[in-house]
Amino acid sequence: MGRHSRPGQPNQPSRAVPRVEADDPLAAYERRRRAPMDVYRRHRPLHGGASHLSPDEPRALEAWNGFVYVPAGTAENLPAAQAWANGTDPGAFADEQ
């Protein structure tokens, strides 16, 4: 096993990037518009630092618009931000599409 080998069988496809359909003429364009690591919503501490060190501090919420992350609002603490990012908070940002 080499220094840069992945675990598992050598003939497995990469799990980092989903496969591109050969029949889709816009596949390359859609791949460029995908969010990094397929994370379409993320949260960051308002005052910087690691998010797990200050769970009671407010969070800035960011959503992927197809090109960059844009501000989407704020959350009062880490659990509320995680619920928004996971889509499990049905009442947050009802005007969002």
Side-chain angles (χ1 to χ4, degrees), residues 10-74:
N11 59 353
Q12 287 181 341
S14 173
R15 294 178 294 248
V17 179
R19 289 190 173 266
V20 176
E21 294 184 29
D23 299 336
D24 187 7
L26 299 176
Y29 173 73
E30 290 172 1
R31 195 179 95 205
R32 286 193 304 263
R33 289 188 50 121
R34 247 190 354 247
M37 300 301 291
D38 289 333
V39 176
Y40 290 90
R41 291 177 161 189
R42 69 180 185 184
H43 56 87
R44 306 273 178 166
L46 280 180
H47 305 294
S51 65
H52 66 282
L53 295 179
S54 54
D56 296 329
E57 303 237 342
R59 305 279 185 234
L61 305 176
E62 299 173 337
W64 182 255
N65 72 355
F67 296 100
V68 295
Y69 285 103
V70 294
T74 58

